[in-house]
Amino acid sequence: MDNKVILTMRGISMTFPGVKALDNVDFTLRQGEIHALMGENGAGKSTLIKCLTGINAFEAGEIRVDGIDGPVVNHSTLDAQKKGISTVYQEVNLCPNLSVAENLFIGREPKTKLGTIDWREMTKRSEKIMKDLDMQVDVTQNLEEYSLALQQMIAIARAVDMDCKVLILDEPTSSLDDNEVMKLFTLMRQLKEKGVGIIFVTHFLEQVYEVCDRITVLRNGKLVGEYPIADLPRVKLVAAMMGKDFDDLASIKSEETPKFSDEDILIDAQGLSHKGKIKPFDLKIHKGEVVGLTGLLGSGRSELARVIYGADKNQTGTLQVNGKEEKINAPIDAMKLGMGLLPDDRKAEGIIGDLSVRENIILALQAKRGVFRLLPMSKQVEIADKYIDILQIKTASRETLIKQLSGGNQQKVILARWLATDPDFLILDEPTRGIDVGTKTEIQKLVLQLAGEGKSLIFISSEIEEMLRTCSKMAVLRDGEKVGEIVEDLSQETVMKAIAGGDGNE
Amino acid sequence: MSKIKKITGQPLFLPIFCMLLVMAVNIFYDLGSGRFAFNFFTVSIRNGVLYGRLIDILNRGSEIAILAIGMTLVVSASAGTDISVGSVMSLTASLCCMLLAGYGVASTNTLAVPLIVGVLAGILLACVCGAFNGFLVAYLNVQPMVATLILFSAARAIGLLLCNNLIVYVRNDAFKFFGGYLGFIPTPIVIAAICIAVVSLVLKRTALGMYIQSVGINKDASRIAGLNSEKIIFLCYIVCGLMAGIAGIVASSRISSADSNNIGLNYELDAILAVALGGNSLGGGKFNLAGSIIGAYTIQAITTTLFALGVSSDQAPVYKAIIVIIIVAIQAPPFNAWVKRLSAKKALAKGGA
Ligand SMILES: Nc1ncnc2c1ncn2[C@@H]1O[C@H](COP(=O)(O)OP(=O)(O)OP(=O)(O)O)[C@@H](O)[C@H]1O
Ligand SMILES: [Mg+2]
């Protein structure tokens, strides 16, 4: 490939208090290529991107952009945009209480002759953008009305709609389904044809091999190397990222399917529903069982789990926990019954950004104990250190603010928060979102280990593969309705078929 | 550079810095007018009680300090301010004095009901006001500023009604105690100290401090993690009302009357300023109670100093306004970014040399 180089970063270094996030990193992007930026959680991928777009100030190094004389230093995302660099950050940062159309056009609203915002034009163009992407969205609705996945697509649409030479996508697919991922890839290929250079960050290795031309690998803030895709098969890529050999596809589930008896039922939902969102459903979960929830985007996977937990008000129907009928009005009631919920939207419902890693870890346990029984500091420290160690959370210290951690490490902290409460029933909604290959396997193992200890789990993931590795039963959802369960013969095929709308077998 | 950053990065930097600045102004003023340089700091005993400018500041600053406690919690939990505290102070004073004097009585030497009844009734009413604000904010999701605007304008008027449009005087030694002296120490100082101690102790010994901050930072996430976000916000407003009540009793006792139109006038501004000066973000979340308290006394020091410098009480707000502008500017993100860029440039220059 002898395409023209459009972006070079040379010797970039950047230090956060206590962490050398980037150490002399080089990166080169050529015209019309899709370039994967890979590395474990906390390797420095997002930081490198933020140095480019001016969110982080780098200490040393130089950035050059094609068509601009001399080194470039951006001071803000807007600044970068003016130079043709368009970015979708890891955490969706749009305005939830503005309409979809407003979000698409913030900062570049179409104007009327009088200089006021031309709302009709804006709505018209927004509708076209959404239609081109084959998305069913009412652009006049507030952004918060839509799921995280749709929000992510909207953020992508916004970035793509701006004329750019360089498009940066930091884990854009973390909450997307196969369908949306396909749409995104088609879009990326079209842009590539037009000569746009794309930087693509992801932890899904298959996706890298599907669309990328070149890979740059970072490890602990240092550059490992830049490779044409053909030179770096999957095994080698994993080794380059982790610095050691690792087989992330090895089977972890025991071969025999466990048998459950009726005495072991922990959760028994009968006609449970949520007005307007989830139609009445029955679901039995045994002790030691891992139940997967699957379905298309927007089919109500998360919502169904949340109904059991009482995360959203207006739960109707009956719920028996351990044979006793219980009424859950708020999450705390569910927690007192031994439940826990790891929500899918980490930024909105997971992290308490300005609190430390320690406080974030002990929060749920403390809430369960009640306000007057403050955990002694020594105990807090002990618990925090324990989980930082077990989950290998990469943080400068336990007192570091959680918002300063990399995305994947934030996710681990929230997982630790729930493990610390020692739940009997844990709902994991996309627990491996944004988590690197090595840790992903660790978490899957952890799920099986918890099940082995007799705990029950609900596991939700956009990756069917991942659920097959952990679940012993799957419930299939369509349009807010539970349409079937798959117990025997769990395989990619049967699940896909059930999701797509063939008759879910029983 | 890094040393400076370490100092300015301290959470208590802003309030202590302001406090030192005010002291420096005082020292220069005293020197300039040919007095002993540390006149400001001298504490003596006159007529059997403590005397001195410092004591005066601690004494007069009590109400602001007490209000600042409640305001800090409200700001943290709800990312908004309670602008009704000054009016609630006045209402508390009105109810208390009305009960002590009897309805319609303008002046009394003897108490119509036991002192404790009047005082507790006043404080209780303040708590009810806090609960009203809290209900609007926590359960009905009304903007804090708008919600508390109701009592901001109504509470004072209700007080006036209770007092039958009179300024009720309670010239009674027992009532005077709250604004007077406990032994040789001014009672307000003691009351403020007790309030601060009790609240700090509660925050230290229970998980409440963490709960409040957690809710202030991310309400939804806190709920999922098992906190009752609404109840916590509600509680903060009640505490804020309670503090306004206590401050109202002190202020009323000082002047032995319920002067509805003047008690607590503009105190909400001082309380909010104290919180901001204390290094707390008015956007909610993390709070620093010690900062707010120092901030409160700093504001009183500024006021006292301005008066000592001969600035009339009408003009004093202008100077305070200037201080507010500076503080808000320092906290503003563009300013922070600018400082960061400046220091980064310096570091870069150093690295290159
Ligand atoms: N604002 C910040 N303050 C302090 N440290 C930070 C901050 N942002 C990132 N870091 C640290 O810099 C390092 C690199 O983080 P970065 O977010 O670039 O990782 P990443 O490669 O994007 O990881 P992930 O795959 O988890 O998103 C991490 O150790 C992180 O803790
Ligand atoms: Mg990242």
Side-chain angles (χ1 to χ4, degrees):
Chain A
M1 236 179 277
D2 50 353
N3 278 348
K4 190 168 83 172
V5 170
I6 51 174
L7 170 76
T8 39
M9 300 175 80
R10 285 282 163 270
I12 304 291
S13 293
M14 149 100 212
T15 316
F16 287 113
V19 203
K20 183 110 197 168
L22 292 174
D23 187 0
N24 200 12
V25 173
D26 298 341
F27 183 82
T28 312
L29 184 70
R30 294 160 190 80
Q31 200 170 39
E33 82 170 350
I34 303 180
H35 195 140
L37 183 57
M38 306 289 296
E40 294 188 284
N41 294 133
K45 306 177 296 289
S46 301
T47 307
L48 186 67
I49 287 166
K50 287 181 188 164
C51 283
L52 174 59
T53 60
I55 292 192
N56 291 336
F58 50 98
E59 293 136 21
E62 189 180 276
I63 299 176
R64 284 183 187 269
V65 178
D66 176 49
I68 296 173
D69 288 333
V72 171
V73 179
N74 293 312
H75 293 305
S76 68
T77 308
L78 197 68
D79 220 10
Q81 230 156 61
K82 285 186 191 137
K83 298 189 177 101
I85 302 171
S86 192
T87 317
V88 178
Y89 293 104
Q90 188 169 2
E91 311 290 344
V92 174
N93 57 345
L94 298 176
C95 305
N97 52 0
L98 292 185
S99 74
V100 173
E102 282 169 293
N103 269 295
L104 284 170
F105 284 95
I106 286 178
R108 52 187 194 111
E109 298 89 350
K111 296 281 165 66
T112 60
K113 279 186 201 122
L114 293 172
T116 58
I117 295 177
D118 188 345
W119 292 101
R120 278 176 59 193
E121 174 72 14
M122 193 157 110
T123 308
K124 218 172 79 197
R125 276 167 59 185
S126 303
E127 273 163 0
K128 173 148 188 336
I129 295 172
M130 290 293 108
K131 215 174 129 224
D132 287 349
L133 280 173
D134 194 20
M135 284 166 64
Q136 263 133 41
V137 168
D138 176 358
V139 298
T140 58
Q141 285 281 315
N142 280 359
L143 184 77
E144 63 197 350
E145 302 292 319
Y146 295 102
S147 69
L148 190 62
L150 280 171
Q151 292 185 24
Q152 208 164 25
M153 282 304 276
I154 290 165
I156 293 168
R158 173 187 155 81
V160 168
D161 192 52
M162 292 183 264
D163 257 338
C164 60
K165 286 184 290 189
V166 177
L167 175 66
I168 304 173
L169 302 169
D170 192 352
E171 298 195 30
T173 54
S174 59
S175 44
L176 300 187
D177 261 9
D178 288 349
N179 257 322
E180 277 69 30
V181 173
M182 283 309 126
K183 280 184 212 163
L184 175 63
F185 285 178
T186 316
L187 193 68
M188 282 165 70
R189 291 196 185 100
Q190 282 167 8
L191 290 170
K192 177 179 152 165
E193 286 302 307
K194 279 201 248 164
V196 177
I198 301 177
I199 304 177
F200 182 51
V201 180
T202 185
H203 289 293
F204 297 110
L205 305 188
E206 304 77 28
Q207 297 181 358
V208 173
Y209 289 98
E210 204 172 324
V211 287
C212 296
D213 306 306
R214 209 178 281 272
I215 305 176
T216 291
V217 179
L218 301 182
R219 187 167 69 232
N220 283 328
K222 292 200 182 66
L223 176 71
V224 176
E226 191 201 75
Y227 315 86
I229 195 98
D231 293 0
L232 199 69
R234 189 183 169 112
V235 195
K236 279 198 184 156
L237 171 60
V238 174
M241 286 196 291
M242 298 182 64
K244 61 175 187 227
D245 287 332
F246 182 82
D247 183 5
D248 66 303
L249 295 177
S251 175
I252 49 173
K253 201 155 95 174
S254 72
E255 281 309 315
E256 64 207 85
T257 31
K259 286 272 165 281
F260 299 105
S261 72
D262 274 356
E263 286 121 62
D264 285 343
I265 293 178
L266 179 68
I267 302 286
D268 187 358
Q270 290 151 15
L272 218 53
S273 71
H274 187 282
K275 224 172 115 205
K277 277 191 190 158
I278 296 293
K279 303 193 181 100
F281 67 91
D282 296 342
L283 185 66
K284 287 185 178 48
I285 304 174
H286 299 85
K287 287 179 187 146
E289 189 173 31
V290 185
V291 178
L293 296 186
T294 186
L296 290 177
L297 201 72
S299 61
R301 300 178 302 213
S302 305
E303 286 77 6
L304 187 143
R306 293 171 71 98
V307 173
I308 302 177
Y309 185 69
D312 309 302
K313 285 166 189 155
N314 305 324
Q315 174 202 61
T316 51
T318 60
L319 175 70
Q320 287 188 7
V321 180
N322 245 332
K324 249 178 70 197
E325 191 168 329
E326 305 280 359
K327 181 85 193 131
I328 295 173
N329 292 313
I332 185 70
D333 300 340
M335 285 164 63
K336 293 229 166 93
L337 292 169
M339 302 190 195
L341 166 77
L342 181 102
D344 66 337
D345 193 341
R346 176 169 66 226
K347 190 175 170 196
E349 294 193 324
I351 66 166
I352 314 285
D354 280 318
L355 291 189
S356 68
V357 170
R358 166 181 58 81
E359 288 168 309
N360 268 284
I361 290 178
I362 61 133
L363 184 64
L365 180 59
Q366 179 65 62
K368 213 167 153 182
R369 284 168 65 97
V371 67
F372 296 112
R373 290 176 57 225
L374 179 68
L375 276 163
M377 188 49 106
S378 58
K379 189 85 189 147
Q380 295 188 19
V381 167
E382 187 191 313
I383 295 172
D385 283 350
K386 179 175 143 197
Y387 286 104
I388 288 174
D389 185 49
I390 293 182
L391 298 177
Q392 297 191 7
I393 299 170
K394 211 178 152 204
T395 171
S397 83
R398 77 175 91 81
E399 298 306 324
T400 306
L401 301 186
I402 190 173
K403 66 174 180 193
Q404 299 181 338
L405 265 54
S406 80
N409 283 298
Q410 291 179 5
Q411 183 75 0
K412 292 187 204 171
V413 172
I414 307 302
L415 186 60
R417 175 190 292 168
W418 291 111
L419 294 180
T421 64
D422 189 24
D424 299 321
F425 172 51
L426 188 56
I427 301 166
L428 299 173
D429 197 350
E430 303 280 1
T432 59
R433 161 169 301 156
I435 294 230
D436 62 42
V437 247
T439 319
K440 203 178 226 172
T441 309
E442 290 306 314
I443 288 179
Q444 291 161 4
K445 280 187 191 156
L446 188 74
V447 167
L448 291 176
Q449 184 197 329
L450 289 172
E453 288 165 14
K455 310 196 174 219
S456 312
L457 293 104
I458 282 186
F459 195 103
I460 305 172
S461 171
S462 319
E463 271 182 285
I464 296 173
E465 190 56 40
E466 177 174 63
M467 286 204 279
L468 290 175
R469 281 159 70 80
T470 49
C471 300
S472 41
K473 171 165 109 182
M474 280 209 219
V476 183
L477 279 109
R478 211 177 297 142
D479 293 331
E481 188 174 4
K482 184 178 159 219
V483 291
E485 274 184 18
I486 314 174
V487 187
E488 263 143 52
D489 197 16
L490 275 178
S491 73
Q492 190 98 17
E493 253 168 80
T494 49
V495 176
M496 294 283 255
K497 216 161 101 194
I499 292 176
D503 16 38
N505 38 346
E506 208 271 318
Chain B
M1 201 277 307
S2 69
K3 231 184 233 164
I4 295 176
K5 215 170 165 191
K6 226 179 227 167
I7 297 172
T8 56
Q10 289 291 321
L12 288 181
F13 167 74
L14 192 64
I16 291 179
F17 177 75
C18 290
M19 182 69 107
L20 291 178
L21 210 64
V22 176
M23 288 178 180
V25 169
N26 271 285
I27 292 173
F28 282 117
Y29 170 67
D30 286 334
L31 270 177
S33 49
R35 260 174 296 202
F36 171 50
F38 294 101
N39 194 17
F40 176 79
F41 300 96
T42 32
V43 174
S44 57
I45 298 219
R46 269 193 216 176
N47 303 331
V49 296
L50 289 172
Y51 182 85
R53 222 186 288 167
L54 205 56
I55 294 297
D56 192 47
I57 290 170
L58 284 179
N59 184 5
R60 297 273 155 200
S62 303
E63 284 99 316
I64 306 176
I66 295 171
L67 290 178
I69 298 173
M71 193 66 78
T72 306
L73 302 185
V74 160
V75 167
S76 168
S78 69
T81 50
D82 180 348
I83 59 169
S84 73
V85 288
S87 300
V88 171
M89 274 174 78
S90 162
L91 174 59
T92 306
S94 297
L95 179 67
C96 174
C97 290
M98 184 272 272
L99 288 175
L100 293 180
Y103 181 75
V105 180
S107 176
T108 181
N109 296 327
T110 52
L111 301 179
V113 295
L115 179 65
I116 191 82
V117 173
V119 170
L120 284 186
I123 292 179
L124 192 71
L125 181 60
C127 290
V128 171
C129 290
F132 174 75
N133 289 332
F135 180 75
L136 292 181
V137 174
Y139 294 100
L140 303 185
N141 270 324
V142 181
Q143 286 278 330
M145 178 81 84
V146 178
T148 55
L149 188 63
I150 300 172
L151 282 175
F152 169 79
S153 36
R156 218 171 266 285
I158 298 171
L160 216 52
L161 278 180
L162 288 178
C163 291
N164 204 11
N165 280 328
L166 299 167
I167 296 181
V168 179
Y169 285 91
V170 180
R171 297 181 219 278
N172 175 288
D173 282 345
F175 181 59
K176 228 174 168 157
F177 164 77
F178 300 108
Y181 290 88
L182 176 67
F184 60 96
I185 307 171
T187 323
I189 297 182
V190 179
I191 295 178
I194 292 174
C195 290
I196 294 167
V198 169
V199 174
S200 317
L201 206 69
V202 169
L203 291 177
K204 205 172 153 64
R205 288 290 159 83
T206 70
L208 194 63
M210 191 170 88
Y211 283 15
I212 293 173
Q213 301 189 45
S214 179
V215 167
I217 298 165
N218 190 339
K219 204 166 133 183
D220 294 336
S222 303
R223 207 178 90 82
I224 296 286
L227 301 186
N228 188 336
S229 302
E230 286 90 13
K231 200 158 128 193
I232 290 164
I233 295 174
F234 183 63
L235 188 74
C236 287
Y237 276 86
I238 294 184
V239 172
C240 192
L242 169 68
M243 293 301 155
I246 295 173
I249 299 289
V250 171
S252 154
S253 166
R254 276 190 207 279
I255 54 174
S256 305
S257 73
D259 183 352
S260 298
N261 287 319
N262 286 311
I263 286 185
L265 193 63
N266 293 340
Y267 270 51
E268 59 280 342
L269 299 181
D270 282 349
I272 294 167
L273 183 54
V275 173
L277 198 60
N280 295 290
S281 152
L282 293 184
K286 286 228 125 172
F287 69 81
N288 181 346
L289 190 60
S292 299
I293 307 293
I294 298 175
Y297 289 115
T298 305
I299 289 165
Q300 188 58 43
I302 293 170
T303 313
T304 306
T305 305
L306 286 175
F307 289 159
L309 292 176
V311 176
S312 79
S313 62
D314 302 336
Q315 285 165 13
V318 176
Y319 294 91
K320 273 193 208 164
I322 294 171
I323 296 164
V324 176
I325 292 172
I326 295 172
I327 293 168
V328 173
I330 289 178
Q331 286 195 348
F335 180 83
N336 275 331
W338 179 72
V339 171
K340 244 195 211 154
R341 221 176 294 153
L342 210 68
S343 54
K345 251 187 213 157
K346 263 191 207 156
L348 211 63
K350 235 190 226 164

